[in-house]
Amino acid sequence: MDVSVDVSALAINVVIPEELRWRDTRRDEEFELQSLTIRMLPDGSLAAKAYGRPVAGGRGPYVSFPVPDRPELAALVSAAADEAARRWAAHG
């Protein structure tokens, strides 16, 4: 069977280590960013968004935040993509 597959993006979810977490505010509510969703786009580039929980507690809205331009976060994104590639390659 010959199947043509058009993969639009690959995505992984990564826990942000506690020492790399940060806080940001949305709609007057402060969030601690605890996870990243990293997508590999069709051109091979990576895009990342951060997600977290309200500092005051509760569920809060599910909104994304930009990932700050910090070397240690860029290294986390790169390491996570490498690990995902290793796992995909081992799939079978």
Side-chain angles (χ1 to χ4, degrees):
M1 183 165 99
D2 187 21
V3 178
S4 176
V5 178
D6 182 14
V7 176
S8 61
L10 300 172
I12 56 175
N13 296 318
V14 179
V15 174
I16 301 170
E18 285 193 39
E19 65 274 11
L20 298 181
R21 293 179 182 177
W22 70 97
R23 292 183 178 188
D24 204 338
T25 303
R26 178 73 48 89
R27 298 184 193 114
D28 297 324
E29 188 167 23
E30 186 177 32
F31 288 78
E32 179 183 73
L33 289 304
Q34 302 172 342
S35 68
L36 298 175
T37 296
I38 303 166
R39 296 177 58 221
M40 179 180 282
L41 304 174
D43 67 1
S45 64
L46 299 176
K49 294 286 185 178
Y51 295 87
R53 299 207 179 274
V55 173
R59 291 180 47 130
Y62 188 72
V63 294
S64 65
F65 289 84
V67 177
D69 186 16
R70 294 179 10 208
E72 62 274 20
L73 293 174
L76 176 63
V77 169
S78 181
D82 289 346
E83 177 60 15
R86 186 192 67 75
R87 291 184 187 191
W88 274 110
H91 172 73

